[in-house]
Amino acid sequence: MKIAVYCQPDSATWIAALRRALPEAQIDRWSVALGGEADYAVVWKPPADVLPGLTRVKAVFNLGAGIDAIPDPYSIPRGVQLVRLDDAGMAEQMVEYVTYAALRCYREFGAYAGQQGDALWRPRSRLPKHEFIVGVLGAGVLGSAVARSLSSLKFPVRVWSRTMKQLAGVECFTGKEALGRFLGATRFLVCLLPLTAETRDFLDHARLSLLPPGAYLVNVARGALVVDDDLLSLLDSGHLSGATLDVFRDEPLPPQHPFWHHPRVVVTPHVSAVTLVKDSVEQIAAKIRRIEAGLPITGVVDREHGY
Ligand code: NDP
Ligand code: OXD
């Protein structure tokens, strides 16, 4: 079995880990020749010419949950499965990140840090918890983990997704008609939608304005889901109280971007849930073994919906 690896910026670590997990396979850095002979490919941010040359592969594994970094994901033949990471240690990290952001906003740690700077002893009145409604856009692997976790902290939680979900203790919404109701009550909005043709620029001025005054946004999905200028104008007008942003249209976030120094914005460098080598390689190796045994696998990207 031959496996071609193209991983920006570091194929070597992945090749070494994959060789340990699949000692029976011949695993090497992608080349045009290997691409034409490989049974599987493992990729992250491949240039446009990598996928079309994978003429014999049974599956292409993407080293991330989102496949938007693949220039033309469907330039592989129809029968070939494009497989994303599902969880692989990312749900736990995402839960940590969003929980911290929720507690920081709900308990106003940012405001207290400001008061401490002025040696100001001033308890702030707190919103009743039942009014701090958490809304999660996307209820897949990561969105549902975040929803469950915040629900276990007794926040009222709702999710919105393309197909209807059933999550214990969580109010579930679907469809464009329900979106207004969903956003209209959400005080703390978490974006965990994939970036697709349908979701690009999803959080624009019209949709963000539906959030009640004083709401917060957390974007941990992809930068292009949010229209930056629309978000900035709603933060500047005071309609939104704050935004915690881990992902951006251009990464690294350019030094001159207004998000860096905006008093209502918290910026982190795409670290909410990083790809873990050990967990990811174990998941890919297990899936390759299942495919070889003729068994179905999870995490196969749906061509029609693009995620
Ligand atoms: P999933 O595919 O498991 O979940 C996606 C969710 O979004 C599903 O609930 C899906 O609905 C919903 N959805 C997709 N399109 C639409 C739409 N047009 N309208 C409404 N709902 C929609 O993905 P994950 O949870 O694993 O990951 C989500 C995203 O998080 C990734 O695509 C990636 O971009 C980002 N990510 C960011 C990381 C970071 O470090 N910042 C790390 C990992 C991921 P349905 O359930 O009905 O299919
Ligand atoms: C992912 C990511 O999609 O790391 O997995 O952003």
Side-chain angles (χ1 to χ4, degrees):
M1 181 202 310
K2 291 186 180 174
I3 303 179
V5 179
Y6 188 104
C7 177
Q8 294 259 29
D10 167 32
S11 294
T13 304
W14 289 97
I15 291 171
L18 283 160
R19 282 180 182 160
R20 281 193 295 276
L22 291 163
E24 69 276 28
Q26 183 194 319
I27 303 173
D28 287 295
R29 196 179 292 269
W30 173 86
S31 64
V32 175
L34 177 56
E37 294 171 355
D39 302 287
Y40 296 95
V42 176
V43 302
W44 182 243
K45 299 188 177 169
D49 59 334
V50 170
L51 260 59
L54 300 170
T55 46
R56 286 195 45 212
V57 287
K58 299 175 199 166
V60 175
F61 291 90
N62 177 56
L63 287 175
I67 59 149
D68 49 287
I70 298 181
D72 181 2
Y74 303 118
S75 52
I76 44 174
R78 270 221 155 249
V80 175
Q81 307 187 86
L82 175 58
V83 189
R84 69 189 194 85
L85 290 178
D86 56 291
D87 190 351
M90 286 191 272
E92 183 180 335
Q93 299 173 66
M94 202 53 100
V95 164
E96 290 165 359
Y97 185 100
V98 177
T99 303
Y100 171 78
L103 294 175
R104 184 174 180 280
C105 294
Y106 177 55
R107 298 300 299 265
E108 298 193 276
F109 283 112
Y112 283 117
Q115 289 187 193
Q116 184 176 348
D118 298 330
L120 195 59
W121 182 277
R122 184 185 293 158
R124 300 168 64 85
S125 65
R126 194 189 306 159
L127 206 64
K129 202 166 183 181
H130 68 266
E131 288 181 27
F132 195 84
I133 297 174
V134 173
V136 185
L137 288 169
V141 174
L142 304 180
S144 60
V146 164
R148 277 196 204 94
S149 169
L150 289 176
S151 175
S152 77
L153 289 175
K154 308 256 189 299
F155 287 105
V157 180
R158 27 174 57 202
V159 294
W160 183 82
S161 52
R162 192 176 55 77
T163 57
M164 195 59 172
K165 301 287 171 237
Q166 281 197 316
L167 293 173
V170 173
E171 205 181 342
C172 299
F173 293 72
T174 186
K176 294 256 156 66
E177 317 75 57
L179 187 60
R181 271 188 296 127
F182 172 86
L183 292 173
T186 295
R187 297 288 302 213
F188 184 82
L189 181 68
V190 181
C191 181
L192 268 166
L193 292 169
L195 178 61
T196 65
E198 261 192 55
T199 63
R200 184 173 290 277
D201 298 328
F202 189 81
L203 290 174
D204 58 7
H205 199 280
R207 292 201 173 112
L208 289 171
S209 304
L210 295 175
L211 295 167
Y216 296 90
L217 169 70
V218 176
N219 186 14
V220 276
R222 287 293 183 267
L225 286 154
V226 176
V227 180
D228 291 3
D229 287 343
D230 292 354
L231 172 60
L232 283 165
S233 99
L234 287 161
L235 289 165
D236 289 340
S237 73
H239 182 77
L240 295 182
S241 284
T244 302
L245 306 175
D246 185 49
V247 287
F248 304 91
R249 279 172 189 263
D250 294 323
E251 295 185 3
L253 183 64
Q256 68 281 7
H257 197 289
F259 285 154
W260 277 117
H261 300 292
H262 198 288
R264 294 176 194 256
V265 175
V266 172
V267 168
T268 54
H270 200 140
V271 290
S272 51
V274 301
T275 298
L276 303 174
V277 176
K278 182 170 170 293
D279 299 54
S280 308
V281 163
E282 277 171 9
Q283 183 171 105
I284 291 167
K287 287 183 180 180
I288 288 177
R289 294 214 165 95
R290 284 184 69 87
I291 296 172
E292 291 294 305
L295 297 169
I297 56 167
T298 58
V300 177
V301 173
D302 177 321
R303 280 179 181 248
E304 189 195 338
H305 295 110
Y307 67 93

